[in-house]
Amino acid sequence: ERQAFLRKMMAYESLDFDPTESHLETTNRCHMTSARHNYISRLRWVIAGLIGLAMGTIAFFVNWAIADFNAWKFHSVEHYINNDKGFSAYCLWLGWIAVLSCVAGSVVSYIEPLAAGSGIPELKTYLNGVHLPGLLRLQTIVSKLGGIVFTISSGLIAGKEGPFVHGGGIVGSGISQMASTAFNWGNKSFNYFRSEHEHRDFTTIGTAAGVATAFGAPIGGILFAIEEGASFYSTGVLWRAFLSTCTGVVMLNFLDLVKDSVENNSSFLTGHLGITRDFGLYSDATALYSQEYWWFVWEIPVFAMIGILGGGLGVVFVKANLLVMKLRARFIPGAHKHKRMLEVIAIALFTGTIFFIVTYGSTCKDVPDYIVTLTDPDFQGNTRTDGLSSQDLLSLIDEAHGEADKYPQLFCSGDGQYSEYGQLFFNPLNKALKILLHLGENHPRLAFYADKIESDSVNDFFLRYDNLFAYPVLVAFFCVLFVLMTITYGVGAPQGLFVPSLATGAAIGRIIGMIFQVIVKKIDSGVVIDIETYTAVGAAAVLGGATRMTISITVLAMETTGAMQLLAPFMICIFAAKYFADEFSLGIYDAHIKLKGAPVLEELEQMEDEHPGITDKVCVGDLAKTKRGTALICLRPRMRVSEVIEVLRSTRVNGFPITNSDTGNPSQGILLEGSISRGQVSKVLQHKVGLIPSLDSTFGVPEDEEKQSEYLADLAERPFRPLIIDDKMNELDKVLSIEDRNAIVDFTPFMRPHPYVISSDSGLRRAYRLFRSMGLRHMFITEQKPVVTGVLTRKDIIGENAVRFLCD
């Protein structure tokens, strides 16, 4: 297994997030005026805001499309059900699923393979320093976010959150580069943020905006980007992500308000923002979240047990899904486009058939009497409603009708009855999750005004009415959802994991809450526990067990449900889920990264847990011994162009040390003068920059800042695109004439003059930490006893001390 992983790893190309700091770049910065520096600094904030606005707008249209497709599908099928045409309804149901899933599978199979899955493992791989060709292209985001509309509408067990993370990363990448390969366009004057580390930072900001607009949770979006995405933490990136997530959520809420105002013929200027939650059925004013969620101190061990259960379910899910993925790679490889698309359609039809059969065979139950009373056409009020104004009475009746819609009749023959299983199975997955989390939050008030309970207290309501869901319904929903989620994740269509995990956890959490309620009532009949609390805790536990995220999930769960008072239970259950699950498997995203063989550098602590003692037993010199049999492939500071081309053709090495030393003897070291990447060499030759008449000449960096910027623009990718070796060689063959090949190129202004070096007897721990924290691609090994010429302390590099040196 280890050898297979190493073989897969060889197919990947690494990135270098360490700034070049070449002579040309440092000279340009030295000549930069204060006004220009401030302009670039402000531009970073403007771009961050634009990323948020763009993602908010995209999220609005994606949500709108998903809602409309779901409405058309469910309403058309329900029309046939209401007219006693069950078989016709089933045929129409399958027709909808087949068409929608065919589109979802086609965008991956025939347009953009990287649009498959959630995109989170791929974004995490890129932000860690591994290049994935095509990951951040316009074609990918159109396929990803366009495809997720059809994936969710088809009924596949999937959510939109993962694709929004990927889409946000692409938006951050594209806006910061002001360029596009799809349109072969790039603004040459806008070259401030085309270095690899700047590109990484804006991609990170985009992922935060993607999560924020997917959940309507700005703080959760920032924390997700830090916890799961970025390998390199920066306070500046954090603050700009803060702005981006804020503008994204505001833009999304504003567009939703405008849409509602147009549909209701009202003014959006008087509409209220921030009163709804992404996973809430009701507005804050109706739900009264602070009153509907509560917990007792003696329930803390139960929440921890739910967390352990969620972690266990996460382990089972990860291991089972990896087995499915291996079978999928064996029998339905990505190269077989037709098979991949047919698999999507087959799983969607299988899912739809199960849901329809369960709904068809569902038992029927009476709609709660207080809803029947308030929705009766003859209801004109009672003594309880005498204190309400006519407008408030109409609002109450409208609210009751809204609740009645959550109790679908479907195949039930009797009036006033609803399909127990259809309430969850014959609904879009995100709506089923909302029903599990929040159904009944406004029922005590409705029951009070319908004169069914003595007061509108939650205790009176629970003591009067049984549970809203039966055990068999929840068990069936959990089992079906868990199995289908395991099979579906990784199929050739855009999909996310958050909503399926939350829905699965909500079902098991509610089951535990109902069981615990029976136990508590037998001990003390006057104590009422809150089952919705268990539902929300169970949802967070399973999501934490599957993904192994902690802080971001806690805040996302709190922001999306409005359950701020459940912060401590969320933290307890998520910590227990992660701690337990980590003993048995990786999280689903890390497991998929490892399955693909990407050379991702995880946290040092995680590596040491997986391979105890390895960082102290191995030194960097030992790891480099396998390469000592051949001479270092080096470039000289000044070389003939034809010689450089020959070096590029003869090797696929991506980084070259610059030296004047003789490199023919592998046993001898070299005097390192700097380093340069293969991509930078190709750009220098392609744009014919740095050409000089003879080896005795040097290429002088011009004093003119405009000319310096022009050179930097020529050497920057437009748009940013990591090196593809064969393409670059073909480009050089077309660009360079015979005269150019005979010229001399001077690399000294463009090379990295001070690359990272490490002593050969240094432990692996130190090298690993440097590679991961600094985003390095190469590091050169020196002798065990390097020559020391001085010492530098923390106090020496303080800005004030540097200014004093210049002034003196």
Side-chain angles (χ1 to χ4, degrees):
E1 185 177 347
R2 184 179 295 113
Q3 291 300 323
F5 172 79
L6 294 175
R7 283 195 300 271
K8 292 178 183 178
M9 185 177 68
M10 299 306 295
Y12 291 90
E13 180 183 346
S14 300
L15 298 168
D16 194 347
F17 292 139
D18 183 38
T20 303
E21 304 290 348
S22 66
H23 181 52
L24 175 61
E25 290 183 5
T26 53
T27 302
N28 181 254
R29 284 198 295 271
C30 286
H31 286 83
M32 186 180 295
T33 63
S34 177
R36 188 173 180 83
H37 182 275
N38 291 336
Y39 167 74
I40 294 174
S41 179
R42 294 189 187 100
L43 194 59
R44 285 191 175 91
W45 290 97
V46 172
I47 292 176
L50 290 175
I51 291 171
L53 293 175
M55 269 314 298
T57 304
I58 292 171
F60 167 75
F61 284 107
V62 170
N63 293 344
W64 190 357
I66 292 173
D68 281 354
F69 273 115
N70 275 328
W72 296 335
K73 182 178 77 170
F74 282 98
H75 290 167
S76 61
V77 173
E78 197 167 355
H79 173 74
Y80 278 89
I81 293 175
N82 293 337
N83 287 282
D84 296 327
K85 297 178 179 179
F87 183 73
S88 298
Y90 176 62
C91 292
L92 180 60
W93 177 255
L94 292 185
W96 271 108
I97 291 173
V99 172
L100 294 170
S101 61
C102 180
V103 176
S106 296
V107 296
V108 170
S109 296
Y110 300 108
I111 300 178
E112 181 50 68
L114 278 172
S118 69
I120 293 177
E122 290 77 12
L123 253 296
K124 185 174 181 179
T125 299
Y126 165 76
L127 293 173
N128 193 263
V130 181
H131 172 48
L132 297 175
L135 179 68
L136 301 173
R137 292 188 301 184
L138 178 64
Q139 177 176 302
T140 307
I141 189 175
V142 172
S143 301
K144 192 85 171 190
L145 296 183
I148 193 61
V149 172
F150 296 95
T151 297
I152 295 176
S153 302
S154 70
L156 282 167
I157 305 303
K160 66 184 179 181
E161 290 71 25
F164 268 54
V165 174
H166 190 178
I170 299 174
V171 169
S173 166
I175 292 180
S176 66
Q177 302 304 292
M178 289 295 176
S180 170
T181 53
F183 298 108
N184 195 25
W185 169 83
N187 188 343
K188 189 173 180 178
S189 63
F190 194 90
N191 66 325
Y192 309 111
F193 309 122
R194 290 187 183 156
S195 63
E196 292 185 3
H197 71 281
E198 292 278 13
H199 183 259
R200 172 203 61 193
D201 290 347
F202 282 109
T203 302
T204 302
I205 292 170
T207 62
V211 177
T213 52
F215 286 103
I219 305 301
I222 298 172
L223 294 175
F224 176 90
I226 294 173
E227 180 178 5
E228 191 68 9
S231 299
F232 180 79
Y233 174 79
S234 165
T235 304
V237 173
L238 175 69
W239 276 107
R240 287 189 284 276
F242 185 88
L243 172 65
S244 186
T245 57
C246 172
T247 55
V249 172
V250 170
M251 187 66 175
L252 175 62
N253 288 337
F254 171 72
L255 292 175
D256 282 335
L257 183 61
V258 171
K259 177 175 175 287
D260 292 341
S261 300
V262 172
E263 292 175 349
N264 300 324
N265 196 26
S266 60
S267 173
F268 68 86
L269 296 176
T270 57
H272 293 172
L273 291 174
I275 61 171
T276 58
R277 300 284 178 261
D278 190 63
F279 292 136
L281 279 174
Y282 318 99
S283 70
D284 287 356
T286 302
L288 298 174
Y289 294 114
S290 60
Q291 297 179 27
E292 298 304 325
Y293 289 109
W294 70 90
W295 53 285
F296 301 98
V297 67
W298 40 264
E299 290 179 293
I300 291 177
V302 183
F303 297 147
M305 291 300 296
I306 293 175
I308 293 173
L309 176 61
L313 290 172
V315 171
V316 174
F317 165 70
V318 170
K319 289 184 176 293
N321 180 256
L322 288 180
L323 178 61
V324 171
M325 290 299 296
K326 291 176 182 177
L327 294 173
R328 183 171 283 141
R330 181 179 177 185
F331 296 105
I332 312 174
H336 293 186
K337 298 180 180 180
H338 300 309
K339 284 186 178 180
R340 203 175 188 197
M341 184 190 70
L342 289 174
E343 184 201 12
V344 175
I345 299 173
I347 292 178
L349 291 173
F350 179 67
T351 301
T353 298
I354 291 178
F355 277 44
F356 194 91
I357 291 174
V358 170
T359 302
Y360 181 78
S362 170
T363 54
C364 297
K365 190 176 179 181
D366 291 336
V367 177
D369 53 4
Y370 48 87
I371 293 179
V372 174
T373 299
L374 295 177
T375 55
D376 190 325
D378 296 330
F379 180 76
Q380 300 295 327
N382 54 32
T383 55
R384 291 282 178 84
T385 62
D386 288 344
L388 298 177
S389 66
S390 57
Q391 184 63 41
D392 289 340
L393 178 59
L394 290 175
S395 297
L396 179 69
I397 294 173
D398 287 341
E399 190 178 330
H401 280 283
E403 285 303 291
D405 292 338
K406 300 178 182 70
Y407 293 87
Q409 184 175 352
L410 299 175
F411 292 102
C412 295
S413 56
D415 292 335
Q417 291 189 319
Y418 72 97
S419 171
E420 278 195 283
Y421 289 82
Q423 189 178 34
L424 295 178
F425 283 89
F426 198 77
N427 260 318
L429 186 59
N430 67 324
K431 186 175 180 181
L433 171 60
K434 294 178 182 180
I435 289 174
L436 277 172
L437 286 170
H438 299 293
L439 184 65
E441 284 177 346
N442 61 345
H443 286 202
R445 190 166 60 86
L446 296 179
F448 170 73
Y449 282 114
D451 203 11
K452 301 299 181 181
I453 57 177
E454 293 302 319
S455 71
D456 60 353
S457 74
V458 176
N459 280 19
D460 284 355
F461 176 78
F462 277 112
L463 292 172
R464 166 68 175 80
Y465 289 95
D466 294 330
N467 292 308
L468 298 170
F469 299 96
Y471 287 106
V473 176
L474 294 173
V475 171
F477 188 72
F478 165 75
C479 293
V480 169
L481 209 58
F482 187 80
V483 172
L484 291 176
M485 176 179 74
T486 303
I487 296 172
T488 303
Y489 189 71
V491 76
Q495 67 204 253
L497 182 64
F498 279 53
V499 169
S501 299
L502 289 168
T504 304
I508 196 69
R510 184 171 277 273
I511 292 171
I512 295 172
M514 290 164 58
I515 294 173
F516 199 59
Q517 183 185 48
V518 173
I519 296 173
V520 170
K521 278 189 175 181
K522 287 185 177 180
I523 298 173
D524 187 344
S525 59
V527 176
V528 177
I529 67 169
D530 180 32
I531 296 179
E532 277 69 30
T533 294
Y534 285 79
T535 308
V537 169
V542 173
L543 180 58
T547 63
R548 310 300 158 80
M549 292 184 289
T550 53
I551 301 173
S552 55
I553 288 181
T554 301
V555 176
L556 284 171
M558 184 179 65
E559 287 185 291
T560 54
T561 61
M564 185 171 293
Q565 62 276 26
L566 295 186
L567 179 60
F570 282 152
M571 295 175 71
I572 292 167
C573 78
I574 291 172
F575 172 80
K578 177 176 172 57
Y579 189 85
F580 179 81
D582 279 346
E583 294 294 321
F584 301 97
S585 76
L586 295 172
I588 187 64
Y589 301 135
D590 292 335
H592 273 241
I593 290 172
K594 193 165 186 177
L595 182 66
K596 295 177 181 179
V600 169
L601 300 180
E602 290 293 345
E603 292 282 356
L604 180 62
E605 182 179 334
Q606 183 174 334
M607 176 187 157
E608 291 177 329
D609 288 342
E610 189 174 350
H611 307 286
I614 192 69
T615 55
D616 297 314
K617 296 174 183 177
V618 178
C619 64
V620 295
D622 297 329
L623 296 176
K625 282 181 180 177
T626 56
K627 299 182 179 180
R628 289 184 181 176
T630 57
L632 282 170
I633 300 174
C634 305
L635 296 176
R636 295 189 299 278
R638 286 174 286 278
M639 295 178 65
R640 197 169 300 278
V641 172
S642 58
E643 295 177 351
V644 177
I645 293 176
E646 184 59 34
V647 173
L648 294 178
R649 287 191 186 281
S650 64
T651 181
R652 299 181 71 86
V653 170
N654 285 286
F656 302 96
I658 301 290
T659 182
N660 271 315
S661 304
D662 180 15
T663 60
N665 188 350
S667 63
Q668 294 181 351
I670 62 169
L671 184 62
L672 185 66
E673 298 187 23
S675 69
I676 191 167
S677 69
R678 186 187 187 103
Q680 197 69 23
V681 171
S682 300
K683 295 172 197 173
V684 168
L685 297 181
Q686 180 183 350
H687 295 285
K688 303 178 183 180
V689 181
L691 299 184
I692 55 178
S694 67
L695 290 172
D696 298 329
S697 307
T698 57
F699 181 78
V701 174
E703 294 293 326
D704 182 30
E705 183 186 349
E706 218 173 280
K707 193 65 176 176
Q708 295 169 7
S709 298
E710 184 181 332
Y711 281 147
L712 289 172
D714 284 338
L715 299 180
E717 290 279 2
R718 298 182 303 275
F720 175 87
R721 183 179 58 193
L723 174 67
I724 300 175
I725 292 173
D726 295 334
D727 288 354
K728 282 294 183 185
M729 294 308 303
N730 293 333
E731 288 179 22
L732 291 178
D733 289 337
K734 296 175 183 177
V735 170
L736 295 174
S737 64
I738 296 177
E739 183 180 349
D740 295 330
R741 293 168 188 265
N742 291 326
I744 306 297
V745 59
D746 185 2
F747 291 123
T748 52
F750 317 111
M751 70 181 185
R752 178 181 284 116
H754 309 293
Y756 279 91
V757 296
I758 189 169
S759 176
S760 61
D761 61 343
S762 295
L764 175 60
R765 178 193 301 271
R766 185 173 183 81
Y768 192 98
R769 189 184 298 115
L770 282 170
F771 265 97
R772 191 178 191 279
S773 60
M774 303 308 299
L776 305 182
R777 182 172 186 173
H778 307 99
M779 187 184 295
F780 298 104
I781 299 176
T782 67
E783 297 177 348
Q784 294 184 10
K785 298 178 180 179
V787 177
V788 176
T789 61
V791 63
L792 196 66
T793 69
R794 175 189 295 264
K795 297 175 183 178
D796 295 327
I797 62 174
I798 293 292
E800 288 76 4
N801 188 54
V803 171
R804 187 192 67 176
F805 169 78
L806 288 177
C807 293
D808 293 344

